[in-house]
Amino acid sequence: MFSLRHRSGQAILLLLVAFALRSPFFGNPVIHSDEQFYLLVGDRLLHGAWPFVDIFDRKPVGLFLIFAAIRSIGGDGVLMYQLAATLVATATAFLVARIVSRLCSDDANPVASVGAALIYLVWIIVFDGAGGQSAIWGNALMAAAALLVLDTTRGHRHISLRGAGAMLLIGLAMQIKYTAMFEGIFFGLTLVWAAYRDGRSKTRLAADAGLWIGAALAPTLLAWAVYAAAGHNDAFVFANFLSIFGQQNDDGLGSNLLKLAGAIALAGPAILLALRSRRTAPFALAWLASAGVAIVIMRRFELLYFLPISLPLAVAAGTGLANGSIVTCRRWLMAVILFGVVAATIASGTRLVRRGNARQVANLVAMIGQKPQGCLLAFGTEAILYYLTQSCLPTPYIFGSHLSRMTEAHGLDVDQATETGRVLAANPGVIVVRPSKPDTNLTTQAMVTAAIAQRYRLVGIVTVGTSPRAVYRLRRSTVPRS
């Protein structure tokens, strides 16, 4: 048996829980549309493709480098990234326990710190993080940065270097997801306050602040410099800093408020725990608020966007657990974890039914075939099909929504209809389509439908999740000989 008072015992427990929660998803390539795209880009990066140039997206390049590193190991790419994400989630949970231990008194019972770690592991499933979403990787860096910041505020020496290390971790997190900037601002202000309280002069304080800001910006500036040196400055600037302002959110006020209310309700038990610590752990609550600012500013209220909040939420909840007796702590923890497990089970089951599973995708891949002549065009459907079929890419805009949804009508550096016409003129060997969505671009959809009617034959239909995917193959007799 292992003891929760020993870090090795805590690590083993968290690893077992992480695998128990996440193993039902292992091998499923359609856990979420985002991470299957990250895997594809990471794989193609190893073959010479440049994100933002050869494959368009607006996520930072650091995220794709993570998936490229995982692919460089070999093996089943889908399973490997999910295993890696599980290990990273476990490490983050372990850091959550350490943070709670720092924030609480030295004689606080270990149930509070381990309980916070368990809350983190459960709530990232609730918030749609069962696979390798960007926040799974970024949260690990944020947790490590938080530990360094806390060490600094507790009066340790070497404030300048510790602060630089924390802000460098923030900078790396920003190269996974730029919204980490808001938490970074909070951490930076905390470091400035710690340095001021240490009695530093204004000159030294300004120098420290400059060092910390530079450390936070360094990873992004380095990535930018690499792209500029390679002649891709415009592509980098547009994808990373400009395209987000053209992306549209078609949800109205009512829909957004409903989604926000749903997320708050699902996080309700952990929030109640966090509020129990409002007098004893202002750091955790302020951190939670800074993470929430990103959601409000970006106006994205799907559960996925609450994944960064799960980290400070778990920390704040842990400090709430410690604010009472061991018996009270255990009762609260059991109630909160039970709620979270039930919510995670229901949410995950619903997502699996709606999005599909590995067997369904394997049937679809078999129908398409390997390395289809003339490339595959997955119009409005899973980008993972390019990876699983080893198809060439007919366009840099291969994420499901890029050419098929009105949300991207002003978020790309090309006109959707023009690019769709160019792709269709090249006669892709296979086209896969799915039923239209409410925000489908009717112009590009009509272009694809017309091309299919003129030059393609139906191979078959495979249901993935709750909707069919129709596979069409080019009739070579309809293609003029050059």
Side-chain angles (χ1 to χ4, degrees), residues 84-358:
T86 299
L87 295 176
V88 169
T90 302
T92 307
F94 185 79
L95 292 175
V96 166
R98 302 280 67 73
I99 294 170
V100 173
S101 295
R102 294 279 205 287
L103 290 171
C104 299
S105 59
D106 293 335
D107 59 350
N109 72 82
V111 176
S113 57
V114 176
L118 294 175
I119 289 172
Y120 176 76
L121 290 175
V122 171
W123 253 267
I124 56 176
I125 304 295
V126 174
F127 289 152
D128 209 359
Q133 286 290 349
S134 58
I136 299 299
W137 319 96
N139 282 355
L141 295 169
M142 298 300 296
L147 275 175
L148 280 175
V149 170
L150 285 174
D151 283 345
T152 302
T153 60
R154 292 179 66 172
H156 286 274
R157 298 172 59 186
H158 310 300
I159 290 178
S160 298
L161 291 178
R162 285 179 178 272
M167 297 310 290
L168 179 60
L169 289 170
I170 296 294
L172 292 173
M174 286 171 57
Q175 271 302 297
I176 295 175
K177 193 173 181 67
Y178 281 121
T179 51
M181 171 184 68
F182 297 98
E183 294 168 78
I185 291 173
F186 164 66
F187 285 170
L189 292 175
T190 302
L191 288 169
V192 170
W193 170 250
Y196 172 78
R197 191 181 59 184
D198 192 53
R200 302 205 166 194
S201 66
K202 293 182 180 180
T203 302
R204 181 67 182 278
L205 196 60
D208 282 341
L211 172 65
W212 296 334
I213 292 172
L217 295 178
T220 298
L221 293 176
L222 175 61
W224 191 350
V226 169
Y227 269 80
H232 302 312
N233 180 74
D234 291 346
F236 184 90
V237 171
F238 179 79
N240 286 266
F241 309 131
L242 302 179
S243 65
I244 187 64
F245 298 106
Q247 193 180 34
Q248 300 175 10
N249 183 356
D250 290 341
D251 289 333
L253 177 61
S255 177
N256 280 329
L257 289 177
L258 185 61
K259 290 178 179 179
L260 178 60
I264 293 175
L266 286 172
I271 292 174
L272 289 176
L273 265 181
L275 292 177
R276 293 183 79 237
S277 70
R278 60 186 180 276
R279 294 183 180 179
T280 57
F283 175 86
L285 293 176
W287 180 11
L288 178 60
S290 69
V293 167
I295 296 177
V296 175
I297 290 180
M298 298 305 295
R299 294 183 301 168
R300 296 298 179 97
F301 301 108
E302 287 81 6
L303 290 180
L304 169 69
Y305 295 100
F306 287 81
L307 277 172
I309 278 185
S310 61
L311 175 58
L313 178 63
V315 170
T319 57
L321 284 173
N323 192 18
S325 67
I326 293 179
V327 173
T328 301
C329 172
R330 288 175 176 172
R331 288 175 178 173
W332 266 100
L333 180 59
M334 289 177 62
V336 171
I337 291 296
L338 178 61
F339 177 92
V341 169
V342 171
T345 301
I346 295 174
S348 298
T350 303
R351 293 165 189 151
L352 180 62
V353 170
R354 185 175 74 251
R355 296 171 182 170
N357 55 51

